[in-house]
Amino acid sequence: MCLKQRLLNHLRQIARERDPYMACGGHFFVQEYIRREFARWGSVEIHTFLVRGKSCHNLILNLPSQTKKIKNDLPPILIAAHYDAVPGTPGADDNATGVAVLLELAKKFADEPVKYPVRFVAFDMEEYGLLGSTEYAALLHKQRQPLRLMISLEMLGYRDLTPGSQRYPSPLQRFYPSQGDFIALIGNLRTVPDLIGMSRHIRQVGIPSQWLPVPNRGLIVPQTRLSDHAPFWDVGYPALMVTDTAFLRNPHYHKSSDSISTLDLDFLTGVCAGLEVAIRRL
């Protein structure tokens, strides 16, 4: 089965109403789907945290590096996507696309490990204020766990070739393309070499890529903080977000129309293939 079809199969399972309060059945279904997929490649850890008395769950899969004997010497690459969605939307782009790519990268790196250990995390409660990632970043920081890089996969499947389809926080429109045909990498200053290298490798598979470094934890451009990388910025980790830029491009953002039919599956497939190459080169 080709990568495009595997991604579509994941999307068909994940793209459904899954708000943890208003659609708890769908939320549990997707949580279990991710757990079962992760379990194909290793032991799944559950990181449980409480939100006003409600138990919420981040799902974690650890994969070893190419050379297992040095895995304890190299910090892991953490790759993450959130699996919850806002009420009233199937959340196909936000963030079934990120989870689908997360699951495919887990398969790829389980079959053929990379230089670094890789930790895959599916975050809960992103839509309620990055709660799952905030809890987990704080835990890692408390444990003094180093990370080679944290990568947040956040909306990866919407492309619009129309000139003027891409919007930006001012004054970024002066420096970036007017059409929304690219995948964006947004990182803190510690990630600049990775932003450059990863964008280059993504372009080599035929997907346009733009990169943006942001100082001071992204506080001067708040739109750059709207995903699970931000809590990792806040505690000092090198972290970046991979995104189709969400509401700055996608008119279906947080709406009932955020369905699979609005996605560009060729674009999503290219992003997944490009990320695999880029992460292998880290």
Side-chain angles (χ1 to χ4, degrees):
M1 190 187 304
C2 70
L3 175 59
K4 181 178 176 180
Q5 185 61 53
R6 292 198 304 272
L7 288 167
L8 178 59
N9 290 347
H10 289 315
L11 291 172
R12 286 171 172 162
Q13 298 298 315
I14 301 162
R16 63 184 67 224
E17 292 204 27
R18 56 188 188 279
D19 172 78
Y21 295 101
M22 305 295 290
C24 53
H27 182 266
F28 180 73
F29 178 92
V30 171
Q31 185 183 93
E32 280 298 292
Y33 180 75
I34 295 166
R35 187 190 62 77
R36 289 195 307 271
E37 288 294 308
F38 274 178
R40 296 168 65 189
W41 316 118
S43 177
V44 183
E45 297 177 26
I46 310 292
H47 171 234
T48 301
F49 59 99
L50 294 176
V51 178
R52 295 186 296 277
K54 175 183 173 61
S55 291
C56 306
H57 308 288
N58 298 326
L59 309 177
I60 303 160
L61 170 67
N62 286 292
L63 295 179
S65 60
Q66 273 175 349
T67 310
K68 292 185 180 181
K69 66 182 180 182
I70 64 169
K71 68 179 179 180
N72 293 326
D73 300 326
L74 289 174
I77 298 168
L78 193 158
I79 308 173
H82 73 87
Y83 65 91
D84 60 317
V86 296
T89 174
D93 197 26
D94 186 14
N95 188 31
T97 54
V99 176
V101 170
L102 185 77
L103 296 177
E104 275 305 301
L105 291 176
K107 176 184 185 301
K108 298 281 189 183
F109 297 155
D111 289 342
E112 190 178 343
V114 299
K115 175 183 175 182
Y116 291 89
V118 185
R119 180 172 300 181
F120 293 89
V121 186
F123 283 127
D124 200 0
M125 299 295 282
E126 189 267 0
E127 300 290 2
Y128 284 85
L130 316 179
L131 300 183
S133 52
T134 296
E135 289 278 347
Y136 194 61
L139 175 64
L140 296 186
H141 183 64
K142 182 179 179 181
Q143 294 173 341
R144 298 185 178 180
Q145 168 65 57
L147 294 178
R148 165 63 181 84
L149 180 66
M150 185 276 179
I151 302 171
S152 174
L153 306 176
E154 175 64 69
M155 301 182 63
L156 307 177
Y158 192 85
R159 173 166 61 175
D160 190 337
L161 302 176
T162 309
S165 58
Q166 182 67 53
R167 295 180 293 122
Y168 299 92
S170 184
L172 296 177
Q173 70 275 9
R174 300 177 187 174
F175 309 104
Y176 291 94
S178 70
Q179 61 189 48
D181 66 343
F182 59 88
I183 198 72
L185 276 62
I186 301 168
N188 52 358
L189 296 183
R190 291 185 63 187
T191 69
V192 168
D194 292 328
L195 292 173
I196 296 170
M198 291 181 68
S199 284
R200 183 174 69 248
H201 293 307
I202 291 170
R203 292 187 198 114
Q204 286 172 352
V205 304
I207 298 296
S209 178
Q210 302 292 330
W211 57 277
L212 173 68
V214 290
N216 193 29
R217 310 191 333 266
L219 295 174
I220 59 171
V221 187
Q223 295 91 334
T224 65
R225 290 182 49 85
L226 299 180
S227 191
D228 290 313
H229 60 290
F232 288 82
W233 284 356
D234 290 342
V235 294
Y237 283 114
L240 61 85
M241 169 174 59
V242 185
T243 180
D244 62 19
T245 75
F247 57 87
L248 295 172
R249 177 189 306 176
N250 189 340
H252 308 287
Y253 175 78
H254 283 187
K255 296 180 180 177
S256 59
S257 56
D258 182 10
S259 64
I260 294 173
S261 63
T262 67
L263 302 177
D264 186 325
L265 294 179
D266 291 323
F267 180 68
L268 178 64
T269 303
V271 169
C272 185
L275 282 171
E276 182 192 354
V277 173
I279 293 166
R280 288 193 184 281
R281 303 290 173 83
L282 288 172

